[in-house]
Amino acid sequence: MKITVKSFGALTTEELYDILRIRSEVFVVEQECVYQDLDGKDQKALHVIGTRKGELVAYTRIFKPGDYFEEASIGRVVVNPTERKYGYGKEIMRASITAIEKHFKEDVIKLSAQLYLERFYHTLGFDQVGDGYLEDGIPHIGMVRRKK
């Protein structure tokens, strides 16, 4: 998988369309979650894009401290449903952690994880903080990674 990191302004129209399409396909359609995806935060984020053979297969958006949480953060973690068996989820997350360290010089990262993915994020060094909560009707937990 080829990884690129781009600011909102550097995204092409086609890249933006592909990002919004995969987020809608997974979060709205597959997970049956009606929520406001276009939240005005994409403009502040760096977009971590994973492609294979020119097709978007994995994506996250990352934020510097204060733009989403007090800590640097990763959100909208998504892998194309037909590509999940190849380990792209871990690969895009590792690339996102590296991008935060490189672009923001931060080693504490927070995310809001869907509860069923706790073990996945734990394998990447994230630990639960606080109690669980509902976000858009889906059980979530806060998780933080501190570089060791």
Side-chain angles (χ1 to χ4, degrees):
M1 178 171 67
K2 178 184 174 191
I3 303 284
T4 54
V5 179
K6 292 187 170 189
S7 67
F8 183 79
L11 294 172
T12 67
T13 305
E14 188 170 315
E15 287 170 327
L16 180 59
Y17 179 87
D18 289 344
I19 289 166
L20 296 175
R21 180 193 51 76
I22 196 171
R23 288 179 2 188
S24 177
E25 178 183 346
V26 172
F27 300 130
V28 177
V29 177
E30 179 184 333
Q31 296 183 354
E32 299 178 355
C33 181
V34 177
Y35 79 110
Q36 185 62 45
D37 183 36
L38 302 178
D39 59 3
K41 294 186 173 132
D42 286 313
Q43 295 87 332
K44 291 181 176 183
L46 288 180
H47 302 268
V48 183
I49 304 163
T51 57
R52 188 173 65 94
K53 297 180 182 175
E55 297 292 320
L56 178 66
V57 294
Y59 166 84
T60 71
R61 64 182 188 178
I62 61 173
F63 296 93
K64 69 179 189 283
D67 279 352
Y68 199 90
F69 293 118
E70 287 183 27
E71 304 85 353
S73 61
I74 301 172
R76 299 292 198 267
V77 180
V78 65
V79 176
N80 183 319
T82 63
E83 305 291 326
R84 290 183 181 149
K85 59 188 167 205
Y86 302 111
Y88 295 143
K90 281 194 177 178
E91 196 172 337
I92 198 75
M93 280 299 297
R94 287 186 185 114
S96 300
I97 291 164
T98 299
I100 286 174
E101 292 170 348
K102 176 183 175 186
H103 293 278
F104 306 144
K105 309 291 188 248
E106 294 289 329
D107 57 11
V108 177
I109 302 169
K110 185 172 184 176
L111 53 81
S112 178
Q114 291 186 8
L115 183 58
Y116 83 96
L117 291 168
E118 177 183 13
R119 181 174 290 144
F120 168 77
Y121 290 116
H122 189 72
T123 67
L124 293 160
F126 288 85
D127 294 308
Q128 181 173 347
V129 293
D131 296 327
Y133 52 92
L134 284 179
E135 186 173 310
D136 301 313
I138 297 174
H140 279 69
I141 54 172
M143 298 190 82
V144 171
R145 178 183 190 275
R146 290 176 173 82
K147 190 173 182 178
K148 298 172 179 164

